[in-house]
Amino acid sequence: MRSRPTKTFLVACALAISVTAGAQTYSLEQCRQMAIANNKEMRIKNAKVEQAGYQKKEAFAAYLPSIDFSGGYLYNQKEISVFGSDQYLPVKNFNAKTGTYDFGIVTNPETGLPVKTASGEYVFEQVAYLPKESLTYDIHNVFFGAITLTQPIYMGGKIVAMNKMTGYAEDLAKQLRDAEAENIIYAVDAAYWQVVSLHAKKLLAESYVALLDTLDRNVGLMVEQGVATGSDKLSVDVKLNQANVDLVKVDNGLVLSRMALCQLCGLPVDTPIQVEDESVDHPSPTLQQYSINMNDVYDRRHDVKALELGVKIYDQKARVAASDMLPKLALVGMYSFSNPNMFNGFEKKFSGAFSVGAMLTVPIWHWGGNYNKYRAAKVDRQVQELELEDAKEKIDLQVNQAAFRAQEAVKTYDMTVTNLTKANENLRQATLGFREGVMTTDNVMEAQTAWLKANSEKIDAEIDVHLCDTYLSKVLGLLNY
């Protein structure tokens, strides 16, 4: 009768076969491409690049003249009148004696003196009568508007600085996008090789179960023949049951690792998927040979380029701040109109006129506000430069650590190959000695356990070499995608 762990193992195998049946196989490069195409963070970075492009075009538009229209309606409660009351204006008459125009003043016929009013004003012989109503205008409903053209001529260098800044910002967005792509690739590689590792460990666990199963049957026969004890059989049964449990755990881990890879690639997590390196024999992994020159590394690293662009952006921000302390000159043209219009006595129809001029603004005194703004921008630039220097120091350490770790991974792999060769020989001798009766069951199980450990360590070391090679390429700025 089969033990419960054995039944569990068979159920898990059946489920795994049903899941992987018809599964599509993807290479590492295909997984990378799918991840970059479907990753949400990558889409956000692409959108930011597009946004930066629009901002660059927006900054360039400041070079060109702007045309604006403004209009409105105004209701006034009262009419407007030039005079407060009816007006009487004196009229001059031509004086033939003097040859000039003089006011005709009423004189007293008896005295011949000019006549004055009670308030002391002269009384004129002739006046022009201007009624108040003749200069009263209806402005209850007023419509007005203007079309304005403004052409910047000199803005203190602000427009030039803004155009440079937005150009650097677009390049910065691209560098951040490329850096995110490298992070995605490294995450995909880790998930990909995790699948390969667990698949190899699953095959190893199956082989280990087969070894223990064979040993279990042999020990059972030996118990029947009286050359082995029931204790030996129980020891092997316990080991076999534990191996079956470990096999189920590895199989479950493999299913979960496939889900993680699907999520990174933008596929539904329940998509049946296999990777190309599961079903091929791997040659001994080797590291690519790199000639490490830190100046070249700095030139290739996207994060360093992003910080360098940040320095340039803050430099242009300082120039924008400095522009607030410089004169600004712009050419202005306008066509304004209204109804009623004042060109013909508040005539109730639309009429307008053109006007052209220049506008000059000269900052004189702002209590140091603009200058302190400029100094603050310069400090921002200095901070960015310090961050760049700090990043280069950390990258130097990162590159050296990655190179050392990669070399150690290769050495570890070579040692695991040697250990596996010895473990294979040890298992062969233990199996042969057990058949000849000179080795105990415990000796065989110890040899099998050592063989399992050596194989597992070799798988881990092989995967570690692949990941170290990818990571070293990443920190050197040589990870292609």
Side-chain angles (χ1 to χ4, degrees):
M1 186 176 189
R2 290 190 181 95
S3 62
R4 186 175 182 83
T6 304
K7 292 180 180 179
T8 304
F9 164 67
L10 294 176
V11 172
C13 288
L15 290 174
I17 291 173
S18 64
V19 170
T20 57
Q24 187 171 352
T25 302
Y26 295 96
S27 66
L28 177 60
E29 186 61 30
Q30 288 175 323
C31 290
R32 288 179 172 183
Q33 292 175 357
M34 288 191 298
I36 292 176
N38 299 314
N39 184 268
K40 300 297 186 299
E41 188 64 29
M42 196 65 185
R43 291 183 179 180
I44 293 174
K45 297 297 183 183
N46 284 325
K48 288 186 178 296
V49 171
E50 185 179 3
Q51 180 188 41
Y54 293 141
Q55 291 173 343
K56 182 179 179 181
K57 292 179 180 179
E58 176 190 359
F60 179 78
Y63 284 117
L64 306 176
S66 60
I67 301 176
D68 301 291
F69 169 80
S70 59
Y73 164 79
L74 184 65
Y75 172 78
N76 297 294
Q77 179 186 4
K78 297 181 178 181
E79 296 178 337
I80 186 173
S81 178
V82 177
F83 301 136
S85 61
D86 295 343
Q87 299 296 312
Y88 298 91
L89 302 181
V91 179
K92 286 185 176 183
N93 296 317
F94 182 74
N95 190 335
K97 295 180 179 180
T98 62
T100 60
Y101 287 91
D102 298 323
F103 289 111
I105 300 175
V106 177
T107 59
N108 189 329
E110 296 178 359
T111 62
L113 296 176
V115 178
K116 294 184 178 181
T117 63
S119 60
E121 297 180 354
Y122 292 105
V123 178
F124 298 98
E125 293 178 348
Q126 295 181 2
V127 293
Y129 173 61
L130 295 177
K132 176 183 177 181
E133 291 78 6
S134 63
L135 292 177
T136 300
Y137 304 103
D138 179 10
I139 59 167
H140 288 302
N141 300 289
V142 179
F143 300 89
F144 56 90
I147 299 176
T148 306
L149 182 145
T150 305
Q151 173 61 62
I153 298 176
Y154 179 71
M155 295 287 111
K158 184 175 184 178
I159 297 178
V160 176
M162 288 297 297
N163 274 269
K164 290 183 179 180
M165 188 190 306
T166 53
Y168 295 145
E170 183 180 25
D171 293 338
L172 174 60
K174 292 178 181 178
Q175 295 298 332
L176 294 177
R177 177 195 61 190
D178 295 343
E180 182 63 27
E182 289 186 347
N183 294 333
I184 293 171
I185 288 174
Y186 184 71
V188 169
D189 281 26
Y192 180 93
W193 290 113
Q194 178 74 3
V195 171
V196 175
S197 173
L198 290 175
H199 181 265
K201 287 186 177 181
K202 176 185 176 182
L203 297 179
L204 176 62
E206 291 172 348
S207 299
Y208 182 57
V209 168
L211 287 175
L212 288 173
D213 191 57
T214 300
L215 180 62
D216 185 63
R217 288 197 303 270
N218 291 335
V219 172
L221 294 175
M222 293 173 66
V223 170
E224 293 176 359
Q225 295 174 2
V227 295
T229 65
S231 178
D232 294 333
K233 182 69 167 58
L234 288 175
S235 297
V236 177
D237 286 342
V238 170
K239 204 74 172 178
L240 178 59
N241 289 339
Q242 184 61 46
N244 282 322
V245 171
D246 292 340
L247 177 58
V248 172
K249 290 181 179 179
V250 171
D251 190 63
N252 291 338
L254 179 58
V255 173
L256 294 176
S257 65
R258 293 186 196 278
M259 290 182 180
L261 181 60
C262 287
Q263 191 274 330
L264 287 172
C265 294
L267 300 173
V269 294
D270 57 349
T271 302
I273 182 177
Q274 288 183 322
V275 298
E276 192 176 68
D277 288 273
E278 284 185 74
S279 56
V280 297
D281 294 330
H282 304 287
S284 298
T286 57
L287 286 175
Q288 300 183 51
Q289 298 300 318
Y290 300 108
S291 177
I292 300 177
N293 184 306
M294 291 310 301
N295 290 327
D296 293 337
V297 173
Y298 298 149
D299 291 338
R300 292 191 298 262
R301 286 285 295 252
H302 299 297
D303 47 358
V304 174
K305 290 181 180 179
L307 289 171
E308 290 175 346
L309 288 168
V311 172
K312 294 180 179 179
I313 289 174
Y314 279 108
D315 185 52
Q316 296 305 317
K317 283 186 176 181
R319 296 187 179 184
V320 171
S323 68
D324 292 336
M325 298 183 288
L326 299 175
K328 298 176 179 62
L329 178 63
L331 179 66
V332 179
M334 178 186 299
Y335 178 80
S336 57
F337 55 91
S338 65
N339 180 9
N341 67 85
M342 294 184 294
F343 299 105
N344 193 17
F346 282 89
E347 187 178 15
K348 284 192 173 183
K349 68 177 183 179
F350 282 102
S351 183
F354 287 100
S355 57
V356 179
M359 183 172 61
L360 177 66
T361 303
V362 181
I364 297 177
W365 184 252
H366 295 86
W367 303 100
N370 292 336
Y371 180 61
N372 287 321
K373 180 180 178 181
Y374 169 73
R375 294 173 67 183
K378 295 292 286 185
V379 172
D380 285 337
R381 184 185 186 280
Q382 293 173 3
V383 171
Q384 193 72 9
E385 286 181 334
L386 292 174
E387 290 180 355
L388 175 60
E389 293 176 3
D390 182 60
K392 287 183 177 180
E393 292 177 359
K394 292 179 179 179
I395 289 173
D396 195 357
L397 176 61
Q398 184 185 44
V399 168
N400 284 281
Q401 287 179 337
F404 177 80
R405 181 183 171 189
Q407 293 172 358
E408 289 300 306
V410 173
K411 292 179 182 178
T412 301
Y413 175 77
D414 293 337
M415 288 188 289
T416 58
V417 172
T418 302
N419 291 340
L420 180 59
T421 301
K422 295 178 180 179
N424 286 332
E425 179 61 21
N426 182 44
L427 179 60
R428 187 187 69 81
Q429 292 183 5
T431 304
L432 182 60
F434 179 75
R435 290 175 182 174
E436 295 177 354
V438 296
M439 291 284 187
T440 65
T441 304
D442 290 339
N443 296 138
V444 176
M445 288 192 296
E446 288 177 1
Q448 290 175 342
T449 302
W451 173 85
L452 176 66
K453 180 181 179 182
N455 273 283
S456 180
E457 289 177 346
K458 178 180 176 293
I459 293 171
D460 290 338
E462 181 179 353
I463 299 303
D464 193 41
V465 171
H466 287 294
L467 291 178
C468 285
D469 185 57
T470 302
Y471 183 70
L472 183 59
S473 299
K474 179 178 180 293
V475 300
L476 292 175
L478 296 171
L479 188 59
N480 296 321
Y481 58 91

